[in-house]
Amino acid sequence: MELMVLLNALVTRLLFVLHSLIGVWRVTAVKKDPKYWLLALLNLLLCLETGLTLKFKQGRGYKWFSPAIFLYLICIVPSLWLLEIHHGTQYCGNEPGAVQVNVSNQDFNQSRDSSHGSEGTDHHIIQTAKVFVNQLSTICETVWTLALHQTFLLLLVVGRWLLPIGVEITRDQLSQLLLMFVGTAADILEFASETLDIEDVRKNYTLINAILAVWTWSMLQFPLDLAVQHIGCKASTSARRIPSLLLCRYSAELWNIGVSLFIQDGPFFIVRSILMGHFRIFNQMLVFFTAKNILVVTLQLYRLAVITLDFRATVLQKSRKGEVCCCPCEPYEAHAHATGHQENEMKEFVAFPPKEESQDPSEDH
């Protein structure tokens, strides 16, 4: 079992490194400047984290936070920024990439026919690899950038699945987290591709930087696992503080609401509203997703109101009954403590029964 844990930890981080190196290669090819290979040095942070995790945690994850996912974001996000900002990604000369794929297949067949009779298999493999790399370099830059975005988000979900989990998170919680990540990744990809593909946006570098900044901000939710975990609290301290008790009872729900309002749907709605209200940019998809963001924000606020009212009703009900409001996160422990106390009293009662009054026959008379 420990061997599988170490293998999953190493393979996942290797996939992160390879994908970030592909991003750096694309930046170097687009910019035509070898100095951008220095971005590959960011992967040293991921290598350092791998060594520390294997040494101190035996490859397992941490509570509430995934350093591997966070460092992967640091490695790949700068490359995606440079590819989006570069003017060559604004337009694509030959839009249908399938035409170039067909040409690549013809080149493969030609290279195979030319090398079949004269040279051996090794030379054929080398020639095929060269043709494949050359054809990859000729693919439209927008196709490359979109493919990197798509594989980046897919790798975040798959990588979080493959990474060994710690003792603080169960597999049921991990499955819930992965399902949430799939929906979140789809929304983020749609936001980036739909807004950056607008021609008027591509002409305004301030808008591009603002959209990429919001996109980067939305990615920060992936390293955190608070969406499926409750924050532990002590009954003695939470009984005196209502906000602490509310956070203790609804920590996962409150985190989901906060992510939607302040990290994802809220910022997305603000950006789309600015595009339509200030820059007068309108299209059918932009209006639809703006309405969708409004609906999600409204439902999250409604959910927050429901949680607050339910919590308030629970506190008032317990206060009227004169009960001590303990932390609902640990009902089993509180009940076990109370039950144990009652059992101890019962044992003492059985061990030391009350003395019966001595009855003297003379007293009866």
Side-chain angles (χ1 to χ4, degrees):
M1 189 64 180
E2 292 299 328
L3 180 60
M4 289 299 299
V5 170
L6 296 177
L7 185 62
N8 288 336
L10 291 174
V11 169
T12 306
R13 289 168 172 83
L14 181 60
L15 291 175
F16 290 164
V17 172
L18 290 177
H19 189 262
S20 69
L21 289 178
I22 293 175
V24 175
W25 167 65
R26 284 309 305 164
V27 173
T28 306
V30 168
K31 296 289 187 178
K32 295 180 174 57
D33 192 348
K35 71 179 181 181
Y36 285 100
W37 277 110
L38 294 176
L39 291 173
L41 296 177
L42 294 174
N43 291 283
L44 295 178
L45 297 175
L46 191 57
C47 296
L48 178 62
E49 184 272 337
T50 303
L52 295 177
T53 303
L54 293 178
K55 180 178 181 180
F56 296 104
K57 300 285 291 184
Q58 287 75 43
R60 296 191 177 275
Y62 295 82
K63 185 178 182 180
W64 299 339
F65 183 72
S66 176
I69 299 291
F70 180 72
L71 293 176
Y72 173 52
L73 294 178
I74 293 177
C75 294
I76 189 63
V77 166
S79 299
L80 294 176
W81 266 71
L82 293 172
L83 289 174
E84 291 290 356
I85 293 175
H86 187 256
H87 66 88
T89 60
Q90 295 180 9
Y91 304 102
C92 192
N94 298 324
E95 278 296 331
V99 175
Q100 297 183 4
V101 174
N102 293 333
V103 173
S104 66
N105 292 332
Q106 293 176 4
D107 292 338
F108 287 155
N109 294 331
Q110 291 177 1
S111 63
R112 182 182 59 186
D113 295 338
S114 61
S115 61
H116 179 72
S118 58
E119 299 179 359
T121 307
D122 295 337
H123 181 72
H124 165 62
I125 295 175
I126 295 175
Q127 291 296 327
T128 304
K130 288 182 179 180
V131 173
F132 181 73
V133 172
N134 291 333
Q135 291 302 319
L136 284 179
S137 301
T138 58
I139 293 177
C140 181
E141 294 178 11
T142 53
V143 177
W144 261 111
T145 305
L146 180 59
L148 285 175
H149 273 285
Q150 294 170 341
T151 53
F152 167 49
L153 293 171
L154 289 176
L155 195 56
L156 280 176
V157 179
V158 176
R160 190 63 188 87
W161 190 6
L162 293 178
L163 282 174
I165 60 177
V167 295
E168 295 85 3
I169 182 173
T170 63
R171 296 195 177 277
D172 177 62
Q173 293 174 337
L174 179 62
S175 63
Q176 298 178 23
L177 187 66
L178 293 174
L179 289 174
M180 293 173 55
F181 279 178
V182 171
T184 300
D187 290 340
I188 293 176
L189 178 62
E190 175 276 324
F191 170 75
S193 60
E194 177 258 332
T195 53
L196 291 175
D197 285 344
I198 301 175
E199 184 177 350
D200 293 335
V201 173
R202 280 294 180 186
K203 296 177 181 179
N204 192 328
Y205 283 97
T206 303
L207 275 180
I208 294 176
N209 292 326
I211 292 172
L212 290 176
V214 173
W215 170 77
T216 305
W217 171 250
S218 66
M219 302 302 298
L220 296 179
Q221 58 186 299
F222 285 99
L224 299 174
D225 299 337
L226 291 174
V228 293
Q229 297 191 51
H230 287 282
I231 300 175
C233 61
K234 297 180 180 179
S236 60
T237 57
S238 62
R240 302 175 183 177
R241 299 179 181 179
I242 298 301
S244 300
L245 183 58
L246 177 63
L247 181 62
C248 171
R249 183 174 183 179
Y250 298 104
S251 59
E253 291 83 355
L254 292 176
W255 171 251
N256 288 329
I257 294 174
V259 166
S260 178
L261 294 179
F262 300 107
I263 298 182
Q264 187 169 332
D265 290 287
F268 290 180
F269 166 68
I270 293 174
V271 171
R272 288 175 172 134
S273 300
I274 293 174
L275 291 178
M276 292 190 300
H278 185 268
F279 293 96
R280 304 296 179 182
I281 300 174
F282 294 94
N283 59 52
Q284 184 177 3
M285 297 303 296
L286 186 61
V287 173
F288 170 77
F289 284 109
T290 304
K292 178 232 178 190
N293 291 141
I294 295 175
L295 182 61
V296 172
V297 169
T298 304
L299 291 177
Q300 292 292 357
L301 293 175
Y302 174 72
R303 173 63 179 163
L304 180 61
V306 170
I307 289 175
T308 306
L309 292 176
D310 179 69
F311 175 76
R312 182 173 178 271
T314 304
V315 173
L316 290 177
Q317 183 179 4
K318 289 189 176 183
S319 62
R320 289 173 183 174
K321 293 182 179 180
E323 298 178 359
V324 178
C325 187
C326 61
C327 180
C329 297
E330 302 168 347
Y332 178 79
E333 294 181 2
H335 177 71
H337 178 71
T339 306
H341 183 65
Q342 293 176 357
E343 290 179 354
N344 292 335
E345 290 182 352
M346 183 63 68
K347 289 179 180 179
E348 292 178 358
F349 178 79
V350 174
F352 301 98
K355 292 183 179 181
E356 297 181 357
E357 295 181 357
S358 61
Q359 296 180 357
D360 191 353
S362 62
E363 293 179 356
D364 293 338
H365 296 287

